[in-house]
Amino acid sequence: MSRLQRLLSEYGACHAHPVNQAVHWLFVPVIMFGVVGLFWALSVPGALAGLPAWANWGTAFAAACMVYYAALSRPLALGMLVVLAALLPAVGWASTLETPLWRLCAGLLAVSLAAQLAGHRVEGRRPAFFRDVEFVLVGPLWLLAKLYQRLGLRY
């Protein structure tokens, strides 16, 4: 079994209940937004202050995630590239709002994590990321793999 299949299988074992799956379909994207947004909100060192607005810790984090995803599966990494190509401009837009980005993202993460915990309570199993923080990155990939399966795409 490949590393990807092992990770997806372990993640899937904690997400078999339909209610928990629905919660994850709704809130994993929100968690992605929140995490990228928190990184985006971090200050860029003064020496880099002249760079474009998109050159920040959020896009650096997204690039690091892409390296991780590409190491697991190039077809899924391509799908994640599409997801991030939509998510990054949305975070950039949110950074222009009156509410500070870090506060917005912290709130979204709090609500999303509470929903995830409720979903896992219904499931009767602890979240996979309690065992290994790597599963925070596997969650979006698991959803994308499910989508690929429904569309008949190989990964």
Side-chain angles (χ1 to χ4, degrees):
M1 179 182 289
S2 73
R3 180 163 185 253
L4 172 67
Q5 289 303 343
R6 182 185 56 77
L7 290 167
L8 293 177
S9 177
E10 281 184 48
Y11 193 88
C14 299
H15 301 87
H17 194 282
V19 169
N20 195 24
Q21 287 185 15
V23 166
H24 280 67
W25 277 101
L26 289 171
F27 289 102
V28 165
V30 177
I31 290 171
M32 287 176 62
F33 181 96
V35 170
V36 171
L38 284 178
F39 277 105
W40 189 293
L42 291 174
S43 295
V44 175
L48 303 175
L51 293 175
W54 59 264
N56 58 56
W57 294 115
T59 55
F61 174 73
C65 289
M66 285 306 305
V67 170
Y68 171 77
Y69 293 140
L72 290 175
S73 165
R74 289 180 193 252
L76 285 174
L78 184 58
M80 288 305 299
L81 184 62
V82 172
V83 169
L84 289 170
L87 183 113
L88 288 169
V91 172
W93 171 79
S95 73
T96 68
L97 298 176
E98 188 173 322
T99 301
L101 183 60
W102 70 268
R103 187 175 294 162
L104 172 67
C105 291
L108 289 172
L109 284 171
V111 169
S112 298
L113 291 173
Q116 298 275 342
L117 291 174
H120 279 284
R121 181 163 246 221
V122 170
E123 179 86 37
R125 296 193 67 160
R126 292 174 49 148
F129 73 85
F130 281 3
R131 218 174 35 256
D132 187 343
V133 74
E134 180 178 14
F135 285 107
V136 171
L137 296 177
V138 174
L141 214 54
W142 181 74
L143 294 176
L144 190 59
K146 290 270 195 201
L147 182 61
Y148 274 36
Q149 288 171 346
R150 288 182 189 161
L151 296 174
L153 300 173
R154 296 180 64 174
Y155 57 86

